[in-house]
Every structure is written in C-alpha cells, then in structure tokens.
Amino acid sequence: MLGAGRDAGDAPTNNPKNVPSVVWPQNRGGGGPSEGSTPVQNHRLMAEASEPTLDGQYLRRLAEVCSPDAADSFADNYGALLRQRVDRIIRTIGVGDRGKAVDAALSLQTASAMAGALRMSHLCAKLEKALVAADLTAAAGTAREIDVHLPELQGALLGRPRLVCHASPDTTPS
C-alpha cells in the first residue's frame, strides 16, 4: 500500500516499513571489505553486496509494459513461490541431481531478474556456474547462501510499495 499523498510513480528512497533489505536504485552503494578476508574474497563480497535485494525499477518497468496490476500480481506470486523454489534447489542438490538443480536455478534466476531481486538472480547464476562445472561442493555452498538470503528477500517483497493504490470504498454516510 502506498502512504498518504504518494502515487504509484513515486520511488521511495527508503523502504516505507523500514525493512533494511530493500535497496532502491538511488540508494545503491557497495559494502566495504570485511576484516580478515583476502582481496579476492573482498572483491567477490563487494560485488555481491552491490546487488540490491530488490530493485523497484524492474517492477515499475513491468508495470509500464503490462499494467500495474499485472506487475503487483507477478511480485506477489513470485514471493509466494520463493520458499518452494529455494527448497527445490536445496533438495535437488542434496540428492546430486545436477540437471534438475540447473533447471531450478535457471527458473528462480529468471523470475528473480524480472522481479528486480538482483542479489537472488546473481546467486542463482553463481549456482548454475558451479553446477555446470560439476562442483557440487560450491553448489551446496551457494545453495546455503540462497537459503540464508531468502528471509531478507521475503521481507523486502512484503515491504515494497505497491504499484497500484486500491482505493477503499467510500464509507461516509450520504
């Protein structure tokens, strides 16, 4: 829902529900290096940290192409299916089924990119790379990263501004 005095085209600079996981385009910023890590690890961590959990411009663009209702519906469905999709990745990696794991990773990567869930999309691409290289140890580690990131993304989706403001019926007496 949008706050009073705001319309669907307004892009917030901060998440309206103070969910720290939402990073809108104008708030992008890389995290600093962590202590005790190597320069290669720092580069990887900074690259991943620069990907926002949820970038609102992607859903706004989808709303322009389709409709605000369609974009909101897509985001709602995406959020509702996230746990199942992540569980499928974890399950298929757990049994060593690389083919189904790649399929699950590509499915989540594509939907995440459309929703603007750029960090999840990045993690799925990283997972696919590990699976194609038959590195199940790296794939399992990335699957854990995806699972750890999931609650942050779910919170971001719940706190995102709606693209359509559904007016409540007029309840004032005539």
Side-chain angles (χ1 to χ4, degrees):
M1 287 186 197
L2 296 172
R6 295 192 41 190
D7 67 69
D10 290 343
T13 56
N14 294 324
N15 185 326
K17 293 188 180 181
N18 296 323
V19 178
S21 56
V22 176
V23 178
W24 298 97
Q26 60 270 41
N27 291 348
R28 280 190 180 177
S34 36
E35 286 187 38
S37 56
T38 68
V40 171
Q41 289 170 326
N42 284 340
H43 177 73
R44 182 182 60 84
L45 291 172
M46 286 172 44
E48 289 175 11
S50 70
E51 293 295 339
T53 296
L54 189 61
D55 187 335
Q57 73 178 332
Y58 287 80
L59 288 173
R60 287 191 300 274
R61 194 171 305 134
L62 185 61
E64 291 170 7
V65 172
C66 298
S67 73
D69 278 326
D72 277 337
S73 179
F74 176 80
D76 292 342
N77 290 334
Y78 170 76
L81 294 172
L82 265 173
R83 178 79 261 170
Q84 288 174 264
R85 287 176 163 169
V86 171
D87 286 346
R88 181 174 172 226
I89 286 171
I90 293 168
R91 189 174 50 255
T92 55
I93 289 172
V95 298
D97 190 336
R98 283 183 29 227
K100 287 184 180 174
V102 167
D103 181 61
L106 288 173
S107 175
L108 182 54
Q109 180 184 1
T110 303
S112 296
M114 287 180 61
L118 301 184
R119 191 173 311 151
M120 182 63 81
S121 181
H122 171 83
L123 288 169
C124 289
K126 180 178 166 183
L127 174 60
E128 179 198 6
K129 184 177 179 180
L131 290 166
V132 168
D135 186 347
L136 292 179
T137 302
T142 303
R144 278 190 298 278
E145 288 181 69
I146 288 170
D147 194 37
V148 166
H149 175 61
L150 179 63
E152 181 179 347
L153 177 54
Q154 289 171 319
L157 287 164
L158 288 174
R160 75 177 178 82
R162 305 297 292 184
L163 297 165
V164 173
C165 184
H166 296 284
S168 49
D170 186 11
T171 56
T172 57
S174 315

